[in-house]
Amino acid sequence: MTEPDPRFWLGAFLPTAAVLLGALALTCSWSGRLPSPVAQKWDWSTQDVITVAPLWQGVLSLAVPSAGVLIFLVFLKWTGKLTGWGRRISIAALAGIAVFTAASLPVMLNGQVGLTDPQLAPDPRTIMGVTAALSLAYGILTALIAGGRPLATPAAGTTPTPALELEPNELAVWTTTTTAWVCLLGGGLPGLTLIILGSTTPVWGLAIPGGILLALGITTGRWTITVDHKGLTCTTLLGLGRFAVPASPGAAAEVVNVHGLSEFLGWGIRVGGSSSIGLIFRNGEALRVHGPNGYSLTVTTYDATTAAALFNAQTARPHTT
C-alpha cells in the first residue's frame, strides 16, 4: 500500500525497531564484561546451565528472529494485508514477538555481566516471564495505537458496475442464499466438542460455551443476500444477524475477486476500520458495495454482476426509500 499510515510507522514499527536496536547496543556495551562463551540454556528443574555458546551465536539466535518478524510485519503493511481486525491481531502478535525476542537478549545476559565462568550464570526464568508479560502488553498497546483500516477502498481508476436499466416505476429484487461453511464448521465443531466433553466429564461447565458456539455456528452458517429498492441486505438464519448498505446517493457497487487469506487474513465475518465489513465465505467472486466515509460491505456470492448492476440502478433513482 502506498497510502500514508503514520499510526503504524510511529506507533508500531519505530518503537519495535528501537527496542531491537537498543537491545543490540546494550549487548555490545556489555561484551567486554561477559564470560566467553556465555550461558545460553538452563535446565528448568535444576536451574543449572546446560548450554554455552559464543556471544555472537546468542545475538544471532535472538536478534535475527526479531528482525525477521519485524521485516514480515513491514511486508504485510506494504502488500496491503494489514486491514480490519486482522491488522490489529497481526500487529499485536508480531510486534509482541519481535519485542520479546529482542528483549530476551539483554535479559539472558544481564546476570552474566562481570562473571568469568558461564556455569555460574543465574537462571533468568523469572525475569523472562516478566518480559513475556510486558511484551504481550506492548503488542496489545501497539495494536490499539495503530488502529484499524478499512477492509476495502475503491481502487483508483476503476468504475462501478454499469447500472441495470429500470423503468421509472419498475420494482426489481435480486436475492440468493449461501451456506457459510467456514462459520458453520468453525462454530459447530468446537461447540459439539465442548458439549460432549461437558456431558461426559466432570467439567460440565464446558457445555455452556459449547452451546453458545454451536448456536452461533448454525445461525451464521446460512445467509440470505438481497438487493432491492432499499439497497444491499445480508441476513443470517432466522434474521438474527444483519448487515446492510442503503442505496443512497454516493454509494456504488462493484464485482471483485477476493482471496480470503491474503486479503482479509482469513474467512468468515471480517471487521475493519470505518465499519467496513467482509462476509468472506470462500475465495472467488464477490459483491462489494462502497458507502460514505470508507464504509464497505463485501460478500462472496455468485451472480454478483447482476446484484451490483441492480444496486447501482437503485442509487441512480431520484428517490430511494
Side-chain angles (χ1 to χ4, degrees), residues 20 23-24 27-28 34-35 37-42 51-66 100-109 112 128:
L20 174 58
L24 291 174
T27 300
C28 291
L34 293 170
V38 296
Q40 195 172 31
K41 293 183 181 179
W42 288 257
T51 301
V52 296
L55 178 61
W56 65 268
Q57 287 188 12
V59 171
L60 289 180
S61 66
L62 293 171
V64 169
S66 181
F100 175 72
T101 53
S104 294
L105 181 59
V107 167
M108 178 184 71
L109 299 174
Q112 303 182 53
M128 279 291 188

Side-chain angles (χ1 to χ4, degrees), residues 5-23 66 70-71 73-74 77 91 95 98-99 102 138 142 145-146:
D5 193 355
R7 294 179 65 177
F8 168 81
W9 296 110
L10 299 178
F13 175 78
L14 288 180
T16 305
V19 171
L20 174 58
L21 294 176
S66 181
L70 195 58
I71 291 172
L73 184 61
V74 174
K77 172 68 184 73
I91 290 175
V99 164
Y138 171 84
T142 56
I145 293 174

Side-chain angles (χ1 to χ4, degrees), residues 214-231:
L214 180 59
L216 286 175
I218 294 174
T219 301
T220 59
R222 191 69 171 171
W223 290 79
T224 299
I225 306 164
T226 302
V227 177
D228 56 16
H229 66 284
K230 296 179 181 179

Side-chain angles (χ1 to χ4, degrees), residues 7-315:
R7 294 179 65 177
F8 168 81
W9 296 110
L10 299 178
F13 175 78
L14 288 180
T16 305
V19 171
L20 174 58
L21 294 176
L24 291 174
L26 186 59
T27 300
C28 291
S29 70
W30 287 346
S31 59
R33 295 185 291 158
L34 293 170
S36 182
V38 296
Q40 195 172 31
K41 293 183 181 179
W42 288 257
D43 187 295
W44 283 89
S45 59
T46 64
Q47 301 186 25
D48 295 331
V49 176
I50 58 175
T51 301
V52 296
L55 178 61
W56 65 268
Q57 287 188 12
V59 171
L60 289 180
S61 66
L62 293 171
V64 169
S66 181
V69 170
L70 195 58
I71 291 172
F72 181 62
L73 184 61
V74 174
F75 171 78
L76 290 179
K77 172 68 184 73
W78 280 343
T79 54
K81 304 299 187 297
L82 294 181
T83 56
W85 277 103
R87 169 187 170 96
R88 295 183 178 94
I89 294 172
S90 297
I91 290 175
L94 296 177
I97 291 172
V99 164
F100 175 72
T101 53
S104 294
L105 181 59
V107 167
M108 178 184 71
L109 299 174
N110 179 59
Q112 303 182 53
V113 175
L115 297 180
T116 57
D117 184 359
Q119 296 296 330
L120 299 177
D123 187 346
R125 72 171 70 184
T126 301
I127 190 63
M128 279 291 188
V130 174
T131 303
L134 292 176
S135 299
L136 176 61
Y138 171 84
I140 295 173
L141 180 61
T142 56
L144 292 175
I145 293 174
R149 304 285 278 185
L151 288 173
T153 54
T158 61
T159 57
T161 301
L164 194 68
E165 294 185 5
L166 297 176
E167 296 297 327
N169 297 319
E170 182 180 2
L171 296 178
V173 177
W174 177 94
T175 185
T176 187
T177 57
T178 184
T179 300
W181 290 105
V182 63
C183 297
L184 187 61
L185 298 178
L189 291 181
L192 284 174
T193 301
L194 290 177
I195 290 174
I196 292 172
L197 289 175
S199 303
T200 58
T201 68
V203 191
W204 59 267
L206 293 176
I208 298 175
I212 295 174
L213 284 175
L214 180 59
L216 286 175
I218 294 174
T219 301
T220 59
R222 191 69 171 171
W223 290 79
T224 299
I225 306 164
T226 302
V227 177
D228 56 16
H229 66 284
K230 296 179 181 179
L232 169 64
T233 305
C234 303
T235 55
T236 63
L237 184 67
L238 303 178
L240 298 177
R242 181 176 182 271
F243 296 102
V245 183
S248 56
E254 61 180 342
V255 179
V256 294
N257 191 55
V258 300
H259 300 276
L261 187 59
S262 61
E263 293 182 48
F264 297 89
L265 295 179
W267 296 268
I269 302 174
R270 319 302 289 176
V271 180
S274 299
S275 300
S276 55
I277 305 295
L279 304 178
I280 312 302
F281 307 133
R282 57 173 174 77
N283 291 342
E285 184 181 9
L287 169 66
R288 176 173 294 162
V289 175
H290 297 282
N293 302 321
Y295 177 78
S296 68
L297 176 57
T298 304
V299 55
T300 53
T301 182
Y302 297 106
D303 195 23
T305 301
T306 302
L310 178 56
F311 182 92
N312 289 334
Q314 302 291 2
T315 61

